[in-house]
Amino acid sequence: MSRYYMAENLKRLRTFYGYQQKEIADQLHISRQAYSNYERGTRMPDLPACIQLAEFYQVTLDALLLAKDPAKRISGQVRKENKALAPVGSLIPVDGPETKMLLRYKRLPQEEQKEVQRFVKFRESLVCSK
């Protein structure tokens, strides 16, 4: 018989990425208390919520449910900080808040991502003109 690690994994992943319970609850359209129950193991999310959480944290559903520590596995792959690929293929260190921002950006619809890109180029032009 399998042991489920969902509650522990939700807390580990949330803290690894620097999210508050309220932020995750808002993504799932549930109360913070309901999400807190998931992390404490007093309630199990339904299957659609489990899938949404796995997609949100970019882990497989089986890793979310059964892995003893997917956040440790993730952090072990990237050392102490996350890395982002630069256009030339080199790795750039990315800290917790930057990782959070990039994950939010990646979840935006493509048109919204283009708008963010235009804004960044605009701000960059203002900084470079000084």
Side-chain angles (χ1 to χ4, degrees), residues 5-128:
Y5 295 97
M6 179 84 157
E8 297 95 331
N9 290 341
L10 287 174
K11 184 169 184 177
R12 286 180 180 132
L13 287 164
R14 180 180 58 78
T15 58
F16 177 78
Y17 285 113
Y19 288 107
Q20 298 294 315
Q21 286 183 341
K22 177 81 170 111
E23 293 174 292
I24 307 303
D26 289 347
Q27 287 289 320
L28 296 175
H29 306 290
I30 60 174
S31 69
R32 189 210 52 82
Q33 185 62 40
Y35 181 78
S36 176
N37 289 334
Y38 296 164
E39 284 192 3
R40 289 194 330 265
T42 57
R43 267 184 66 190
M44 183 76 154
D46 61 11
L47 184 57
C50 289
I51 292 168
Q52 195 174 5
L53 285 162
E55 289 174 347
F56 181 83
Y57 287 121
Q58 298 180 350
V59 298
T60 62
L61 189 54
D62 63 326
L64 185 63
L65 291 168
L66 303 171
K68 288 190 178 179
D69 190 352
K72 184 175 182 181
R73 210 177 330 161
I74 292 167
S75 63
Q77 292 172 0
V78 294
R79 296 195 188 134
K80 290 186 180 179
E81 55 197 355
N82 293 313
K83 303 283 183 180
L85 284 176
V88 293
S90 61
L91 294 177
I92 302 169
V94 181
D95 66 13
E98 291 168 331
T99 301
K100 194 173 175 180
M101 179 195 60
L102 288 171
L103 287 172
R104 284 181 171 157
Y105 168 80
K106 293 298 281 179
R107 283 192 293 271
L108 290 172
Q110 191 168 5
E111 192 54 44
E112 298 288 327
Q113 288 183 8
K114 288 178 182 177
E115 187 177 328
V116 170
Q117 292 169 8
R118 287 190 295 270
F119 177 75
V120 169
K121 285 180 183 178
F122 168 74
R123 292 295 298 176
E124 185 179 47
S125 70
L126 293 177
V127 171
C128 291

